[in-house]
Amino acid sequence: MSYLEEIQVKNLDHLGIVAGLIDEIGIVKIINNKLGIDVREKISAGTVVKSILINGLGFVSRPLYLFSQFFQDKAIEKLLGERIKPNYLNDDKIGRVMDELYKYGLNDIFIEVVLEVIKKFKIDLKYSHLDSTSFHLDGEYKREEDKEKQEEEKIIKERPILIKKGYSRDHRPDLKQCVLDLITSQDGDIPLFVRVGDGNESDKAVFGKVLVEFKKQIKFDSIMVCDSALYGQENLQLIQHLKWITRVPMTIKKAKELVQNIEVEEVKDEDKEKRSDLNLESYTWKEEIVTYGGIKQTWLIVLSEKRQKSDLEKLEKQLSQEEKKSQKFLKEIQSEEFEHPQAARYKLKAINKKLRLLEIKEVELIETYSKKKEKIYKMISLIIKKDEEISRKTKEAGKFILATNLVEENKLEASEILITYKNQQSTERGFRFLKDPLFFTDSFFVEKPERIETMLFLMSLCLLIYNLGQRELRNCLKRVKKGINNQVGKVTLRPTLRWIFQCFQGIHYVILNGVKQIVNLTEERRFILSLLPASCQRYYL
């Protein structure tokens, strides 16, 4: 055997970090305890799930039917265990494990993983955030019509989801879709609860039920934060025993009145520095006690200077566009000949329905004759501004209302309510991660709704692992008070885990004459590893 034939070089890169986080959480053990281990199989269900998660966080756009190819040049025995070969991870094996996961109960498995993370990593659950998004899908996904005509079900459904058209957050109304509800912690954006719903599902119809189910599953005294889809009399009654902060929709009469008539308080000089420290210097507000849906609440009417400026600019632009549009309408209606006065007024009414800030008003209806000596009517009209509507929009500019049922002895500071709601982007960051083109969202090649649900469950586990790793890294950097260089060479205490993954490209697992070693492990990489859990370090050191 030649010297070169005694060398094996496999890529390890950042995958050891991913594998270490999976080990630290104990995902393989949890899956194997749930699904069992068959001694006749070469690879356990837990290890298959681990391989899928490593593949998912490998940031290569390869669907699962190319799965074994992903591991061809990777240190698979280092990552998954001795004697594990890439061909063990074929699509038949992966499909069987996905079906077993679905059959056991995706929600039960996810909750157990989450509880382990909360306990082991001491996740702060004072605030949790709920939001939803949609995933568009190709394919027919036909199901029997009678299955759609079912009685009202529990929020955790016993039937597969319905893949169908609905309100598309991806702006693809032409495609069928499913909906993903996600609850995350404010501490590190850790996913706490995931639920996959029908493609035509309404947030208003399910958000209250989702929160109730979440509190049953995870018994922590968390304050739930949600957007205006939660705010409705039926939902408020449903969650009256929970603590919540949400946005009040401007369709509610009381909200419209307050935004129009109330003046937010001027900021006192002694409060300006405090608000600046909280990054709230551009916000002013006023509190009101309101009873709505039978629930006593604090309403915080907030004015954002930045948003006010943006809203007023949009209003000015809308007014300019309508002026151009109304001039065309005016020319059109004044040049038209009508057989009856009613026809002219009907046309005017139809035109005014297309305008919001302006109105074309009838000045005079002239009776005259056409060239054919037939009696006709011509309308003289002019354009006027809808001063009341413009004034209303001007007063509303930059204002919104936040509501909470935390009143009296449980009362929160107004600044805390606002800061907490601003952190609602916690779930939005999760959705951006799940929809990243480098992630395996494109792996939605599966034809069964059950597999779609399982895929989203696995993707959500990837999000949990990624955000947990990022949280641990940032917390450690904060403790040691030492930063690392980011993409542009500036020192930061809040690097993204994706940047760390890029920093670990080019690390290899080398076997030379039977001796195993890791190469290209620089001092910077060793320092980063020292900030991560011990399970991550074992793959490199």
Side-chain angles (χ1 to χ4, degrees):
M1 183 181 294
S2 70
Y3 178 72
L4 288 177
E5 289 175 326
E6 296 178 22
I7 297 177
Q8 293 182 50
V9 180
K10 296 290 184 180
N11 295 327
L12 185 58
D13 300 326
H14 69 281
L15 301 180
I17 296 175
V18 178
L21 290 168
I22 295 168
D23 296 345
E24 194 75 16
I25 297 168
I27 292 176
V28 174
K29 183 179 178 181
I30 290 170
I31 299 293
N32 285 339
N33 286 343
K34 297 290 186 186
L35 303 187
I37 297 176
D38 188 337
V39 294
R40 297 169 297 176
E41 296 201 312
K42 296 177 180 178
I43 185 169
S44 71
T47 305
V48 171
V49 169
K50 181 180 180 180
S51 69
I52 294 173
L53 301 178
I54 290 172
N55 186 189
L57 289 168
F59 295 112
V60 293
S61 186
R62 292 189 181 188
L64 291 186
Y65 53 79
L66 293 176
F67 194 87
S68 59
Q69 293 182 24
F70 172 80
F71 283 100
Q72 288 293 344
D73 62 346
K74 307 295 188 298
I76 187 169
E77 293 192 13
K78 179 75 172 172
L79 295 167
L80 300 181
E82 293 185 9
R83 296 184 295 277
I84 300 291
K85 306 297 180 187
N87 60 3
Y88 295 174
L89 299 166
N90 55 68
D91 53 351
D92 289 336
K93 176 64 179 178
I94 293 166
R96 285 196 300 274
V97 170
M98 290 177 74
D99 293 341
E100 288 174 24
L101 290 168
Y102 183 87
K103 186 177 179 181
Y104 184 89
L106 303 174
N107 182 64
D108 291 342
I109 297 171
F110 195 84
I111 289 296
E112 184 156 339
V113 172
V114 165
L115 291 173
E116 188 66 26
V117 168
I118 291 168
K119 177 183 174 183
K120 186 173 287 187
F121 296 91
K122 296 180 173 56
I123 307 297
D124 182 0
L125 295 178
K126 183 177 181 180
Y127 295 109
S128 304
H129 298 262
L130 166 65
D131 208 344
S132 70
T133 192
S134 58
F135 286 83
H136 61 267
L137 306 159
D138 297 311
E140 290 297 318
Y141 298 101
K142 290 182 179 178
R143 298 201 41 229
E144 296 91 341
E145 290 297 317
D146 60 346
K147 288 190 178 181
E148 295 187 33
K149 300 173 184 176
Q150 301 182 51
E151 296 178 1
E152 188 175 344
E153 299 154 317
K154 296 178 182 178
I155 198 68
I156 302 300
K157 296 173 287 194
E158 296 179 0
R159 63 163 174 83
I161 56 171
L162 296 170
I163 308 296
K164 57 195 309 181
K165 292 180 180 179
Y167 173 67
S168 174
R169 281 82 163 179
D170 296 332
H171 308 293
R172 290 300 307 269
D174 55 313
L175 295 177
K176 292 183 179 181
Q177 64 178 24
C178 63
V179 169
L180 179 72
D181 299 315
L182 177 66
I183 295 178
T184 61
S185 68
Q186 189 164 306
D187 176 15
D189 301 348
I190 306 300
L192 303 174
F193 187 85
V194 174
R195 174 187 168 274
V196 186
D198 299 339
N200 64 341
E201 192 171 82
S202 163
D203 291 349
K204 291 181 180 180
V206 301
F207 270 8
K209 297 174 186 176
V210 168
L211 292 184
V212 171
E213 185 64 32
F214 170 64
K215 296 297 286 189
K216 286 181 187 175
Q217 301 278 350
I218 299 183
K219 301 184 185 303
F220 290 94
D221 195 25
S222 194
I223 299 170
M224 306 306 306
V225 186
C226 189
D227 65 18
S228 60
L230 178 68
Y231 201 90
Q233 295 199 30
E234 186 177 336
N235 276 340
L236 294 185
Q237 287 295 323
L238 195 61
I239 63 170
Q240 59 181 305
H241 301 301
L242 307 180
K243 297 175 182 178
W244 49 262
I245 295 171
T246 186
R247 184 167 173 164
V248 180
M250 284 300 150
T251 52
I252 293 174
K253 184 179 178 182
K254 179 69 174 176
K256 288 180 181 178
E257 291 173 355
L258 281 176
V259 165
Q260 285 294 309
N261 302 317
I262 205 163
E263 292 294 329
V264 296
E265 298 174 345
E266 290 290 327
V267 184
K268 297 176 183 178
D269 290 338
E270 58 266 30
D271 291 333
K272 286 182 178 179
E273 187 176 346
K274 183 180 176 182
R275 292 195 187 185
S276 180
D277 292 340
L278 296 172
N279 198 25
L280 296 177
E281 61 268 25
S282 64
Y283 292 91
T284 49
W285 54 73
K286 185 175 177 57
E287 291 183 61
E288 290 282 314
I289 298 297
V290 173
T291 298
Y292 182 79
I295 308 295
K296 189 177 181 182
Q297 307 160 38
T298 298
W299 277 19
L300 190 67
I301 300 94
V302 183
L303 173 63
S304 164
E305 289 179 10
K306 290 179 181 176
R307 181 168 173 174
Q308 183 183 46
K309 183 180 178 183
S310 174
D311 287 350
L312 291 175
E313 286 173 355
K314 287 177 184 176
L315 180 62
E316 194 67 34
K317 185 177 180 181
Q318 185 182 353
L319 190 57
S320 175
Q321 289 173 341
E322 281 207 8
E323 283 173 351
K324 292 176 183 177
K325 188 190 295 185
S326 59
Q327 288 290 347
K328 290 181 181 179
F329 288 149
L330 181 67
K331 187 176 180 180
E332 179 186 329
I333 199 167
Q334 290 193 147
S335 63
E336 193 165 344
E337 299 176 349
F338 298 96
E339 293 182 1
H340 306 284
Q342 295 90 335
R345 289 176 180 133
Y346 181 82
K347 176 71 178 279
L348 181 63
K349 186 177 180 181
I351 284 175
N352 280 326
K353 281 183 178 180
K354 299 175 182 178
L355 301 173
R356 295 287 178 267
L357 306 176
L358 301 175
E359 182 180 12
I360 298 178
K361 192 170 183 179
E362 176 188 337
V363 175
E364 186 180 1
L365 203 58
I366 300 172
E367 183 181 311
T368 183
Y369 291 91
S370 67
K371 293 178 180 179
K372 296 180 180 179
K373 305 298 181 182
E374 295 173 341
K375 186 188 288 187
I376 59 165
Y377 296 87
K378 301 198 77 172
M379 180 176 281
I380 304 298
S381 50
L382 59 82
I383 299 168
I384 61 171
K385 288 184 178 180
K386 293 182 181 177
D387 291 328
E388 190 175 324
E389 179 66 12
I390 293 171
S391 174
R392 183 184 69 80
K393 283 186 170 290
T394 302
K395 286 181 179 179
E396 287 180 358
K399 290 180 182 174
F400 58 95
I401 300 177
L402 301 178
T404 177
N405 63 342
L406 295 167
V407 294
E408 297 169 353
E409 67 273 9
N410 295 319
K411 190 175 186 302
L412 293 173
E413 287 288 331
S415 57
E416 187 171 358
I417 294 171
L418 181 54
I419 289 170
T420 301
Y421 186 78
K422 284 176 68 181
N423 285 327
Q424 179 67 2
Q425 58 189 288
S426 166
T427 48
E428 294 170 7
R429 284 190 291 267
F431 294 144
R432 285 198 297 272
F433 175 91
L434 293 172
K435 295 186 176 188
D436 192 304
L438 290 176
F439 197 44
F440 62 10
T441 312
D442 287 337
S443 302
F444 280 0
F445 64 93
V446 290
E447 296 180 354
K448 297 193 297 182
E450 294 92 329
R451 291 275 182 92
I452 296 293
E453 287 190 60
T454 308
M455 182 68 74
L456 280 166
F457 157 79
L458 294 166
M459 290 167 66
S460 299
L461 280 181
C462 284
L463 174 62
L464 185 150
I465 292 161
Y466 180 91
N467 283 352
L468 179 65
Q470 185 167 268
R471 173 187 181 270
E472 290 303 290
L473 177 68
R474 290 176 175 181
N475 285 348
C476 282
L477 285 170
K478 189 176 179 180
R479 281 197 296 271
V480 300
K481 297 179 181 178
K482 184 177 179 181
I484 61 175
N485 290 333
N486 63 13
Q487 293 94 319
V488 294
K490 291 186 178 180
V491 175
T492 178
L493 293 174
R494 294 182 56 80
T496 65
L497 195 62
R498 175 164 299 193
W499 169 241
I500 300 303
F501 287 175
Q502 290 176 9
C503 290
F504 272 66
Q505 297 306 296
I507 295 180
H508 302 298
Y509 181 62
V510 177
I511 303 175
L512 177 60
N513 295 327
V515 178
K516 302 172 183 177
Q517 56 184 315
I518 306 293
V519 298
N520 292 340
L521 200 58
T522 63
E523 284 304 313
E524 181 187 32
R525 289 166 173 169
R526 287 177 183 273
F527 171 66
I528 292 170
L529 285 172
S530 72
L531 305 170
L532 293 167
S535 297
C536 299
Q537 298 171 27
R538 283 197 289 269
Y539 284 89
Y540 298 93
L541 303 177

